[in-house]
Amino acid sequence: MIIDFHTHCFPDRLADKTINKLSKGAGGLVPYHNGTLSDLKRLNKESEVSLSVVLNIATNAKQMHNVNNFAIEINKEEGICAFGSVHPDAPDVLDELDRIKENGLKGVKFHPDFQGFYANDPKMKPIYRKISELGLITSFHCGKDYSFPAPYHAMPEHMTEALKMLDTPVIAAHWGALARPELVIEKLCGLPLYFDTAYGYGQLSPQEALKIIEKHGADRILLASDAPWQNINLNLRLLESLDLSTEDLDKIKYKNAVKLLKL
């Protein structure tokens, strides 16, 4: 069984435009699916993925409701677990978190670079408090983002502070901080949060990946691809190169996700 804990797709009418914009912004990345839900499902079938966690992002306050409408809609699909998203500047952000919970979504996704806030910004305290009260999982894009120049808004030093404001499960995507494994090893490993493996293939060495797993624990790692930007098989190849035990590999491939999502 394989659960991919970090994927993306978009409404059909927006998929082509969105994929082209994101690809260009990231230096011409070649996508593995065309941005639609149906093509994500096609990729999942080819890769033997049983469940995709689709992480939606409200990149501005005006689109927040529509983003969550889409998340609520696709969450009804077989093989899909959709997370919602809220924008810190939306006047009804706390009410929207209630709506996310009431409609059965299990978590929220933040991309602090796209959304224009630092993960440890004090203005986030009431939002994080509400998330904690509702028992929602929180996933953060962490580390570098190829669409943005430094400084980045969810580096390990920011996440250590953000963790103090959240009482429910937190996921630091991209092995804790994309392209900065040394900071993850120094500052985040051992703290009470999860790392996903999204876009890890080619971004860190097997030695770095193994050190993160050994120091953080295999029970806090979630297999993920960042589809459409990588395929789950690439990230599995990285993990399988590490000579992990079958037990630890199964935890990362699906058992940790089953427990976290309460499936």
Side-chain angles (χ1 to χ4, degrees):
M1 183 177 184
I2 296 172
I3 294 177
D4 187 342
F5 218 99
H6 188 140
T7 69
H8 303 284
C9 65
F10 311 96
D12 287 359
R13 70 184 187 282
L14 301 175
D16 186 61
K17 180 180 178 180
T18 302
I19 286 290
N20 288 335
K21 181 179 180 181
L22 291 172
S23 175
K24 182 178 179 180
L29 283 180
V30 177
Y32 282 80
H33 71 73
N34 67 13
T36 64
L37 175 62
S38 61
D39 212 36
L40 172 61
K41 285 186 168 186
R42 186 265 313 163
L43 182 64
N44 286 347
K45 185 175 182 179
E46 291 178 359
S47 304
E48 299 182 349
V49 170
S50 300
L51 181 72
S52 271
V53 178
V54 177
L55 301 178
N56 299 282
I57 304 166
T59 57
N60 62 64
K62 291 183 179 179
Q63 70 171 200
M64 181 177 71
H65 297 138
N66 287 336
V67 165
N68 290 320
N69 289 342
F70 177 68
I72 291 164
E73 177 185 348
I74 67 171
N75 195 53
K76 302 169 186 175
E77 297 281 336
E78 184 178 357
I80 300 295
C81 175
F83 278 24
S85 185
V86 292
H87 196 282
D89 296 335
D92 57 344
V93 59
L94 300 184
D95 291 336
E96 189 68 0
L97 285 167
D98 280 324
R99 189 168 79 99
I100 286 170
K101 177 69 174 182
E102 289 165 2
N103 280 277
L105 304 185
K106 295 189 176 184
V108 293
K109 169 66 184 281
F110 289 112
H111 195 310
D113 297 301
F114 268 110
Q115 295 178 303
F117 72 95
Y118 282 93
N120 62 338
D121 192 319
K123 78 175 184 180
M124 297 300 294
K125 284 183 178 180
I127 298 172
Y128 292 162
R129 187 181 306 117
K130 183 72 170 182
I131 289 170
S132 298
E133 290 171 358
L134 294 171
L136 296 169
I137 302 165
T138 311
S139 175
F140 290 87
H141 171 95
C142 290
K144 184 176 181 176
D145 187 289
Y146 291 102
S147 300
F148 295 89
Y152 302 109
H153 290 67
M155 297 299 288
E157 61 269 25
H158 306 129
M159 292 306 300
T160 57
E161 296 299 314
L163 273 176
K164 298 174 184 178
M165 298 184 246
L166 283 153
D167 295 325
T168 46
V170 173
I171 301 164
H174 308 294
W175 288 90
L178 182 62
R180 296 306 304 267
E182 75 284 0
L183 292 180
V184 175
I185 293 165
E186 176 188 352
K187 297 178 181 293
L188 289 184
C189 282
L191 296 182
L193 78 168
Y194 292 84
F195 302 149
D196 79 29
T197 70
Y199 211 81
Y201 180 85
Q203 296 296 313
L204 72 171
S205 70
Q207 294 80 13
E208 291 164 333
L210 185 59
K211 190 167 184 178
I212 288 173
I213 293 171
E214 289 178 341
K215 188 172 181 181
H216 195 58
D219 57 348
R220 291 277 185 162
I221 310 291
L222 302 161
L223 178 62
S225 67
D226 202 12
W229 308 116
Q230 280 195 358
N231 187 314
I232 198 68
N233 293 331
L234 297 176
N235 293 279
L236 267 175
R237 284 175 64 86
L238 172 60
L239 290 168
E240 289 169 348
S241 76
L242 305 181
D243 294 324
L244 299 172
S245 68
T246 300
E247 179 183 1
D248 282 348
L249 192 56
D250 283 347
K251 286 180 180 179
I252 296 169
K253 286 170 65 176
Y254 70 94
K255 287 185 176 179
N256 295 337
V258 167
K259 184 177 180 180
L260 182 56
L261 295 171
K262 299 179 181 179
L263 299 178

